[in-house]
Amino acid sequence: MARDAALLIAWMRRLAATIRAHEAELTALDAAIGDGDHGANLARGFNKVEQKLDAEMPATPAALFRLVGMTLIGWVGGAAGPLYGTFFLEAGKAAGSAAELDEAGLVRCLAAGLAGVKARGKAEPGDKTMVDALTPAIEALGSGGSLAEAGRAARAGAKATAPLVARKGRASYLGERAIGHVDPGATSSVLLIESLAEAG
Ligand code: ADP
Ligand code: MG
């Protein structure tokens, strides 16, 4: 299936609504092993994304991803703002001038986004971060899995952060006290992938 900017905009609008619906959950997760601002940070950023999309409609996937990336960097704050911002900026670069993304193109953009997150945050799978949800999801897509399967892989990846000690971000200051808690950023990454599956 080919995704043009309009379809990707639908993904971003759905993600904004999903973040709002899960704001309290993300806040609670971050209150347990961070500073309790992850839900509010993301809600602020994605509300701004929606406002910008009300005012202008990017014509290409690259333009959309760039708008989202810049907005998240400007409005989310914390560790997650620059990381999710980088995700979308790198996805936008990978989109090039294409008017629409086929399946392979979408996977290329998402993989470029993840590579950007890893480079910026210096995190690898197993560090108890958003990388733990994004990596299995994008791997699933890369090996021909559906978006629904990618969503389930992200969910499983996030769940698997619970027994880990965090090696990056604020939760790393807690040492073993982070054990037993799911990572908030991994959880918001599940929402990112699931909302893509819902948008189609
Ligand atoms: P802050 O920790 O600054 O309050 P947030 O609460 O918005 O920022 O985001 C926290 C989330 O960011 C973590 O749950 C984790 O998934 C992610 N994160 C933090 N540091 C890194 C990193 N170096 N690489 C990847 N993800 C990270
Ligand atoms: Mg926080």
Side-chain angles (χ1 to χ4, degrees):
M1 182 177 114
R3 289 175 186 79
D4 60 8
L7 210 150
L8 296 167
I9 288 170
W11 170 27
M12 289 301 110
R13 288 191 180 280
R14 190 171 277 271
L15 178 54
T18 302
I19 295 279
R20 278 195 295 275
H22 290 83
E23 181 179 342
E25 177 193 343
L26 296 172
T27 291
L29 290 171
D30 196 35
I33 59 169
D35 57 356
D37 62 358
H38 191 56
N41 286 347
L42 287 182
R44 186 172 56 247
F46 279 96
N47 286 344
K48 194 71 194 174
V49 166
E50 271 190 337
Q51 280 175 25
K52 290 203 183 171
L53 292 175
D54 288 340
E56 66 169 298
M57 218 173 128
T60 61
L64 169 66
F65 287 148
R66 182 174 163 75
L67 178 150
V68 173
M70 295 300 288
T71 306
L72 297 182
I73 287 174
W75 291 82
V76 174
L83 291 166
Y84 278 129
T86 298
F87 180 88
F88 284 103
L89 287 184
E90 291 301 319
K93 284 187 210 161
S97 58
E100 38 183 57
L101 300 174
D102 60 11
E103 297 299 339
L106 177 69
V107 176
R108 255 198 316 279
C109 289
L110 297 176
L114 172 58
V117 168
K118 290 171 74 178
R120 176 135 195 173
K122 310 260 179 293
E124 289 298 324
D127 287 348
K128 198 176 178 108
T129 71
M130 58 177 70
V131 170
D132 288 353
L134 293 171
T135 301
I138 294 165
E139 275 174 10
L141 289 178
S143 53
S146 65
L147 286 171
E149 284 164 341
R152 286 193 286 275
R155 181 68 65 187
K159 195 169 171 214
T161 63
L164 302 176
V165 167
R167 285 194 287 257
K168 292 285 179 266
R170 278 180 202 280
S172 66
Y173 310 150
L174 293 180
E176 302 213 329
R177 278 180 291 148
I179 291 175
H181 299 279
V182 168
D183 179 62
T187 305
S188 55
S189 285
V190 173
L191 303 180
L192 184 144
I193 301 291
E194 284 183 347
S195 57
L196 174 59
E198 288 162 14

